[in-house]
Amino acid sequence: LERMWQPKVTLHGSLATVSAPYDFHRDRVFSHCGTDVFTMVRSRGEWRITHVVYTTQRQGCAPSPLGSPGV
């Protein structure tokens, strides 16, 4: 389960970036956290993801505002 929150969207015409912190749980057990970043381009009226990058860290993660993952 990967959960993202507080996405930050930056638009520059037909180019956009979206970045957001995330946490990742496997079988409801915390695995890691980090930041997801997506670069998107609008073409023919549709947004398409062109690049995805992310960071990972296993310790020192701020608590998620989403609380514990559900069942």
Side-chain angles (χ1 to χ4, degrees):
L1 171 66
E2 181 174 346
R3 308 178 307 164
M4 294 175 25
W5 58 89
Q6 297 173 334
K8 182 187 275 185
V9 178
T10 305
L11 291 172
H12 299 281
S14 292
L15 177 67
T17 57
V18 179
S19 63
Y22 76 92
D23 62 7
F24 188 89
H25 296 78
R26 180 173 288 141
D27 296 325
R28 288 181 245 138
V29 176
F30 175 80
S31 173
H32 62 276
C33 70
T35 302
D36 285 333
V37 179
F38 302 89
T39 303
M40 304 171 77
V41 174
R42 183 174 45 207
S43 175
R44 298 181 184 148
E46 296 180 349
W47 286 99
R48 301 193 181 267
I49 296 171
T50 59
H51 295 89
V52 177
V53 294
Y54 58 92
T55 64
T56 60
Q57 71 186 73
R58 296 192 184 278
Q59 299 175 9
C61 301
S64 167
L66 303 175
S68 296
V71 176

